[in-house]
Amino acid sequence: MVILYSSRCLDYAAPGHPESPERVRSAVAQLQKDFHTWLLPTPCTDEDILRVHTRELLEAVRLGTFADADTPFFPGILDLAKLSAGAAILAAEHALAGRPAFSLMRPPGHHAERNRVMGFCYLNNIAIAVARALHSSSHVRRIAIFDFDCHHGNGTEDIFRDDKRVLFVSVHQSPCYPGTGLTAQGNCLNYPLPPNTRPAQFLAALDEGLKRIRDFQPDLLAVSAGFDAYKSDPITNMDLEIETFREIGHRIAAVTQSAPDAPALPCFAVLEGGYSRDFARCVEAFASGWERH
Ligand SMILES: [Zn+2]
């Protein structure tokens, strides 16, 4: 598996904030024990950002003129957010070249709406990568986004709502932050699950979503990989085990390989949330389940 990672993503922190550099640092240490191809990302361009965000949002992230209690401004955060989005773009490019790829970066992205910074997210990394792939590759006509973070990917839904080229599927806890994703609408399929959902029920919803993705026949599968549905996550209330993330990786990989002799569906993943002490083990379980399908 190709992993996109730069230690520059560790260069910002707010004391006591759950979205800490330590999360990614620990996941990198865990994954470096296995064999992977590690590549440095390059930043995305303003043009990449403006395909999915407003110029007002871009300028607000540059200047710090946004207000979201969960999402502090840091000098230079735009450069780091552009590097994280650039890593997602590169992950998509590797996937399209036949190499499954995982962007192991921060800040995360799936709460960032077209015109709103929120929920630890400044730029919507996966949306930027998907829009870029649709723009730059003539044989990429349909892209499915599968989001298994414990929180609804409201930003991704906001950006792609009614875009027929994109199918957005999200499995998440409800009620929970940000309070959206309660119903399916058009190209946005939501699977809200109650607090304390057990692995079997979570995986059943996941299978429903993956079936809809298969029916959509995408040219590329983009995965928002969040690990906060884990039973010990401090900011959510779900009951997944570490091994559930291995199963999630396995089932996503199964969708990419529909028949033994058929070409694999290109697939890339982008890190979103996950805040427990076992975060690195959850990430490792997902990556190995995906890779060793
Ligand atoms: Zn989350």
Side-chain angles (χ1 to χ4, degrees), residues 68-82:
D68 182 80
D70 296 322
T71 318
F73 175 70
F74 303 92
I77 192 64
L78 178 60
D79 291 338
L80 298 179
K82 287 171 89 166

Side-chain angles (χ1 to χ4, degrees), residues 74-136:
F74 303 92
I77 192 64
L78 178 60
D79 291 338
L80 298 179
K82 287 171 89 166
L83 194 59
S84 188
I89 288 173
L90 276 177
E93 288 176 354
H94 279 280
L96 288 167
R99 295 179 289 273
F102 190 1
S103 171
L104 203 58
M105 292 284 286
R106 59 193 284 269
H110 75 150
H111 292 307
E113 296 184 346
R114 186 168 285 277
N115 193 33
R116 187 176 176 197
V117 167
M118 67 183 279
F120 320 161
C121 303
Y122 304 85
L123 301 176
N124 195 314
N125 306 314
I126 205 159
I128 288 171
V130 163
R132 163 83 169 246
L134 287 167
H135 175 78
S136 60

Side-chain angles (χ1 to χ4, degrees), residues 110-111 149-151 226 228 235-236 272-275:
H110 75 150
H111 292 307
D149 189 278
C150 195
H151 302 97
D228 37 11
I235 67 170
T236 57
E272 303 287 0
Y275 310 98

